[in-house]
Amino acid sequence: MGWLTTKGAYMQDDKPNKKLTLSNQLYYDSKCNKLYLVPRLLLTDDYTIPLGINKNKWDARPSHIHDIGCKFHQVIVVDLPLDIIEEEYLCSEFIGMLYCKDIPIEYLHTEDITFNQCNSLLKKAMKDCGIPAYAYNLYRLGVNFNIGWLFSGKDKLDLNKLYIDKIDTK
């Protein structure tokens, strides 16, 4: 099934090369039967690409879920069935975009994620939004060299601050 929401809206941030997501994003991984939330107010640089290569060539949603996993060594999982999500939380009121209303935190939990799981989730999420195989395979190879993982994961996601505070992933 893949992405349940369309590409989201952004707002520029005062930090260089940073954007703030304005809409929640939902990704369903059919392989492990999990629904992941990428909440609005995520401060991201989209894909971290050296040498100034065009980051905007591909759908950035996969990079957002990867950013959360890399920073916190956790992901946010939705504890509601898909039919409830589709009936109560998905909307298309904003210029034809399919977006997700805020899901109450009592229907969410965090799960720890390993380096390999995080990088594999990035690849699958890229594949599921139609990015060509050569690109998602190159990205999957590249993230194996992310030494920042070794120094991150000390901070954990606080669901009580979800939808209130920015989530800075760098």
Side-chain angles (χ1 to χ4, degrees), residues 3-9 23-26 61 85-87 89-101:
W3 290 96
L4 301 182
T5 49
T6 52
K7 296 176 186 176
S23 56
N24 298 311
Q25 301 163 4
L26 289 175
R61 292 174 295 173
I85 292 294
E86 290 171 349
E87 290 171 19
Y89 294 99
L90 289 181
C91 298
S92 60
E93 300 164 359
F94 183 68
I95 57 172
M97 292 174 53
L98 192 59
Y99 72 96
C100 178
K101 296 177 188 175

Side-chain angles (χ1 to χ4, degrees), residues 10-44:
Y10 287 108
M11 181 174 76
Q12 267 188 301
D13 192 77
D14 291 335
K15 290 187 175 184
N17 300 314
K18 296 285 188 166
K19 301 174 193 171
L20 191 64
T21 60
L22 300 177
S23 56
N24 298 311
Q25 301 163 4
L26 289 175
Y27 177 70
Y28 179 70
D29 185 347
S30 57
K31 186 176 179 181
C32 62
N33 194 30
K34 287 187 183 171
L35 181 60
Y36 298 100
L37 171 70
V38 177
R40 63 183 174 80
L41 300 181
L42 179 74
L43 195 58
T44 180

Side-chain angles (χ1 to χ4, degrees), residues 126-160:
M126 290 178 79
K127 183 178 182 180
D128 285 347
C129 63
I131 293 173
Y134 79 89
Y136 64 69
N137 285 321
L138 278 172
Y139 274 93
R140 178 61 179 91
L141 175 66
V143 293
N144 283 324
F145 299 99
N146 177 8
I147 61 169
W149 179 275
L150 300 171
F151 307 104
S152 62
K154 294 171 186 70
D155 297 326
K156 297 299 178 187
L157 287 162
D158 183 353
L159 295 180
N160 292 312

Side-chain angles (χ1 to χ4, degrees), residues 93-113:
E93 300 164 359
F94 183 68
I95 57 172
M97 292 174 53
L98 192 59
Y99 72 96
C100 178
K101 296 177 188 175
D102 291 350
I103 298 172
I105 62 170
E106 58 263 22
Y107 301 121
L108 306 172
H109 74 273
T110 59
E111 284 186 9
D112 292 340
I113 192 167

Side-chain angles (χ1 to χ4, degrees), residues 31-95:
K31 186 176 179 181
C32 62
N33 194 30
K34 287 187 183 171
L35 181 60
Y36 298 100
L37 171 70
V38 177
R40 63 183 174 80
L41 300 181
L42 179 74
L43 195 58
T44 180
D45 66 350
D46 289 340
Y47 295 104
T48 304
I49 304 175
L51 307 174
I53 298 171
N54 183 2
K55 296 180 184 197
N56 297 320
K57 188 170 186 176
W58 311 115
D59 188 337
R61 292 174 295 173
S63 72
H64 301 162
I65 199 167
H66 188 257
D67 281 352
I68 291 172
C70 285
K71 168 72 179 207
F72 300 102
H73 298 193
Q74 293 180 313
V75 287
I76 302 170
V77 179
V78 180
D79 297 322
L80 288 171
L82 284 175
D83 59 333
I84 299 293
I85 292 294
E86 290 171 349
E87 290 171 19
E88 297 183 23
Y89 294 99
L90 289 181
C91 298
S92 60
E93 300 164 359
F94 183 68
I95 57 172

